[in-house]
Amino acid sequence: MLNDNKIRELIENAEKARTRSYSPYSNFKVGAALLAGNGKIFTGCNIENAAFSPTNCAERTAFFKAVSEGIREFTAIAIVGGKDGEEREFCSPCGVCRQVMMEFVDPKTFEVIMAKGTGEYRISTLAELLPYGFKPDNLGN
């Protein structure tokens, strides 16, 4: 369980990442801050594409950055999203992002922080968001 200071730090990092969003089609900017097991924070933003399917979510961007640097243990992720000039909403990870998370975390302990800001957030475990997720163990040996 994360303390308030660490949660605030993750949300602030997600807010900074959100400012780098490339979202000219939806105008829905998302930022994510992923806390690795070693304490390092990896950020990501959503990156849209005119063809839509090559679009990458903020959460996957953060995970892919971390994994590409050899990090494979994670504790939590904070996610913020919304359109500029509109009230923020709690931004839940999409199904594809949830499945990517399932590849690398313990779903019973990994915390997903969905925030409107540092003072207003919800925390769920990945198991709560994806109760029947497909894990590498499902493939057998």
Side-chain angles (χ1 to χ4, degrees):
M1 186 101 177
L2 298 176
N3 65 41
D4 289 338
N5 289 335
K6 186 54 77 175
I7 292 170
R8 190 174 301 109
E9 180 184 9
L10 286 171
I11 294 169
E12 288 170 356
N13 274 275
E15 288 281 4
K16 288 177 192 170
R18 183 182 172 278
T19 66
R20 296 186 291 272
S21 168
Y22 177 75
S23 48
Y25 308 105
S26 71
N27 295 309
F28 194 90
K29 298 178 179 186
V30 181
L34 175 64
L35 179 62
N38 65 4
K40 186 171 180 181
I41 296 174
F42 292 87
T43 60
C45 63
N46 58 322
I47 304 165
E48 294 182 347
N49 186 284
F52 291 109
S53 65
T55 293
N56 202 56
C57 297
E59 302 91 327
R60 280 182 280 147
T61 300
F63 265 91
F64 295 162
K65 283 170 64 176
V67 171
S68 72
E69 293 187 25
I71 305 299
R72 302 266 166 82
E73 294 181 15
F74 306 99
T75 305
I77 191 166
I79 307 159
V80 296
K83 293 185 177 187
D84 285 339
E86 294 184 10
E87 182 180 344
R88 294 281 173 83
E89 53 191 79
F90 293 111
C91 191
S92 178
C94 75
V96 174
C97 288
R98 294 174 193 199
Q99 186 58 51
V100 167
M101 291 176 197
M102 187 67 77
E103 185 75 16
F104 298 103
V105 306
D106 177 346
K108 293 176 186 147
T109 61
F110 184 76
E111 295 180 305
V112 180
I113 304 159
M114 297 159 281
K116 290 184 178 184
T118 56
E120 192 173 2
Y121 56 85
R122 295 178 181 161
I123 300 176
S124 296
T125 64
L126 181 57
E128 292 169 328
L129 296 177
L130 188 63
Y132 301 104
F134 193 80
K135 289 199 52 78
D137 295 349
N138 293 113
L139 295 174
N141 290 331

